[in-house]
Amino acid sequence: MPLIKCENVSIGYEGQTVVKDLNFAIEKGDYLCIVGENGSGKSTLVKSLLGLKSVEKGRITFGDGLRQNEIGYLPQQNDTQKDFPASVYEVVLSGRLNSRGFHPFYTSGDKREAVEKMELLGIRDLERQCFRDLSGGQKQRVLLARALCATKSLLLLDEPVTGLDPIVTGEFYQLIRRINRDSGIAVVMVSHDIESAVEDATHILHLQETALFFGTTEDYRRSRIGRKFLGGVHDGNDF
Ligand code: ADP
């Protein structure tokens, strides 16, 4: 049973279908990058994976013990730049709420988990700082720690490096690679940055309403569509 399986999935807004007949599946420990132009349906798909938007047709199923409310989600950066009057520790700890809905008290296990994740991501020294005072890169680390508190098997990241400078972006990608490699947590990342996507991901879903390509990164590099978008070597028969 795959970790996520999308079968003939169509999703739309008020009668207009924006994702059509989509099929793909990922397994435990995979690293999937979802690429595609603006408006190709990436964020819509993310909403349905999170259970925030129902599908019109087809179905999305989860395996390997994963429940939809146990996905570690890191939203688009624009959504998280608000003046958020909470400490780093509180933000990270709030990831524990995801898996069981609202709960006014945190357990000692929740607190241990939050400290562990802050240590893992090298942000323990920031724990008492106010989230809104942090740099963009620090905020993303905090939100990543929060997402890790919410899951044991899947991180879902929507354009996580938007607005970050190249060095911080590189460090963020490195962190995601390390988490994926060391903990076996699967990663699904929506990305504009197709060049970096093929460096890190094991699988690529190239979305344009439906899957223009889904498969391993290696096959994507060799495919017609992959070579076109990567601006790679042409063999004279293409396009
Ligand atoms: P991407 O994330 O790839 O940029 P989106 O999933 O945001 O693409 O958008 C896919 C299509 O759905 C676009 O044509 C967009 O205009 C439309 N769309 C997105 N959100 C809504 C909404 N809330 N209501 C109506 N149409 C929407």
Side-chain angles (χ1 to χ4, degrees):
M1 184 73 187
L3 191 65
I4 303 178
K5 191 171 186 188
C6 277
E7 292 169 282
N8 304 313
V9 165
S10 296
I11 318 167
Y13 298 94
E14 286 147 22
Q16 198 203 348
T17 303
V18 299
V19 172
K20 207 179 265 177
D21 294 328
L22 180 63
N23 288 285
F24 73 91
I26 67 161
E27 306 285 342
K28 184 174 188 281
D30 282 352
Y31 185 156
L32 172 72
C33 263
I34 304 176
V35 300
E37 288 166 22
N38 270 337
S40 59
K42 303 184 297 296
S43 294
T44 302
L45 174 61
V46 164
K47 282 184 210 159
S48 291
L49 291 174
L50 290 167
L52 302 175
K53 180 152 185 50
S54 53
V55 302
E56 284 176 342
K57 263 181 26 199
R59 59 181 193 149
I60 301 175
T61 46
F62 298 92
D64 226 353
L66 175 65
R67 295 200 317 223
Q68 202 166 31
N69 64 351
E70 290 173 346
I71 295 173
Y73 173 52
L74 200 158
Q76 281 201 11
Q77 222 192 3
N78 291 344
D79 300 339
T80 60
Q81 292 290 9
K82 297 177 189 105
D83 259 0
F84 204 37
S87 72
V88 164
Y89 175 62
E90 286 166 331
V91 172
V92 174
L93 191 58
S94 71
R96 297 298 303 156
L97 295 177
N98 283 17
S99 59
R100 54 164 190 252
F102 178 73
H103 190 292
F105 303 107
Y106 291 107
T107 65
S108 54
D110 292 335
K111 292 173 186 170
R112 222 174 17 247
E113 189 96 9
V115 169
E116 233 173 65
K117 301 309 181 218
M118 287 191 291
E119 274 168 1
L120 180 71
L121 300 192
I123 53 169
R124 183 78 200 273
D125 56 330
L126 301 177
E127 72 177 310
R128 290 185 195 290
Q129 288 202 31
C130 194
F131 179 75
R132 68 179 164 209
D133 297 336
L134 303 181
S135 70
Q138 286 172 328
K139 278 183 179 150
Q140 286 308 74
R141 268 181 197 242
V142 172
L143 292 170
L144 183 58
R146 180 182 187 277
L148 282 171
C149 272
T151 194
K152 289 192 170 22
S153 50
L154 178 67
L155 276 178
L156 179 54
L157 316 168
D158 196 352
E159 302 271 7
V161 297
T162 308
L164 302 184
D165 72 45
I167 291 172
V168 177
T169 295
E171 287 169 355
F172 189 83
Y173 284 143
Q174 203 175 2
L175 209 51
I176 299 295
R177 277 200 301 274
R178 180 160 64 95
I179 291 164
N180 175 247
R181 196 189 51 220
D182 294 352
S183 66
I185 291 181
V187 174
V188 173
M189 184 190 290
V190 172
S191 179
H192 263 111
D193 183 358
I194 201 161
E195 303 288 337
S196 296
V198 295
E199 290 299 313
D200 291 346
T202 58
H203 293 75
I204 302 286
L205 170 61
H206 192 129
L207 204 59
Q208 188 62 59
E209 194 177 76
T210 191
L212 282 189
F213 177 92
F214 171 69
T216 65
T217 306
E218 214 178 298
D219 286 346
Y220 183 69
R221 283 181 195 274
R222 281 198 289 255
S223 71
R224 188 165 180 240
I225 179 87
R227 282 181 295 163
K228 181 175 172 189
F229 281 89
L230 288 164
V233 185
H234 296 209
D235 62 11
N237 298 320
D238 290 319
F239 325 121

